[in-house]
Structures are given as structure tokens and as C-alpha cells.
């Protein structure tokens, strides 16, 4: 009685689809995927910037002065 079977989850999913509709659920899934992809890209960007700065101490300061 404590655990939910697969049929309970199927019924819950059907109710969610009826209440929210497939279009809203699809948009929510797309938005969530875009957010996760942006987060991963942000992490990759931070790692790349850190790798560039670790190679030459103070190189970021020199690069900033060159841009002025």
C-alpha cells in the first residue's frame, strides 16, 4: 500500500496532461532543456577562462590594458 505501482503513475501522468495540455508541457520541457544547456555552456566557459588564466598569471590584466 505504501509504494505506487506503474498504473498509479500512468493515471497521474494522464491527469497532468489533461490539466496542463501537451503544448504547455512541451514548452516547459523545451524551456527546461534550454536552461540546462545554457548552464552547461556557462560551466564550460568558466573552465576555459580559468584554464587561460592559470597558464599565465596576470595575463588577464595585460589583456584588459591592451583593449583600452
Amino acid at each position: 500500500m505504501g509504494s505506487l505501482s506503474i498504473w498509479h503513475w500512468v493515471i497521474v501522468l494522464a491527469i497532468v496532461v489533461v490539466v496542463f495540455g501537451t503544448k504547455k508541457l512541451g514548452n516547459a520541457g523545451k524551456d527546461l532543456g534550454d536552461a540546462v544547456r545554457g548552464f552547461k555552456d556557462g560551466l564550460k566557459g568558466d573552465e576555459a577562462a580559468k584554464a587561460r588564466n592559470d597558464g599565465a598569471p596576470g595575463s588577464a590584466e595585460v589583456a584588459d590594458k591592451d583593449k583600452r
Side-chain angles (χ1 to χ4, degrees):
M1 184 101 185
S3 65
L4 297 175
S5 70
I6 186 71
W7 294 111
H8 290 103
W9 290 113
V10 169
I11 292 170
V12 168
L13 180 63
I15 292 171
V16 167
V17 168
V18 168
V19 169
F20 293 109
T22 56
K23 186 169 181 159
K24 274 190 180 178
L25 291 175
N27 289 342
K30 182 180 179 295
D31 292 343
L32 181 63
D34 289 343
V36 169
R37 188 175 305 113
F39 180 74
K40 286 182 180 180
D41 289 344
L43 288 178
K44 287 180 185 176
D46 288 345
E47 290 173 0
K50 184 179 177 185
R52 283 192 306 265
N53 290 337
D54 286 347
S59 61
E61 294 172 6
V62 173
D64 286 341
K65 289 180 183 177
D66 290 341
K67 290 181 182 178
R68 293 180 192 171

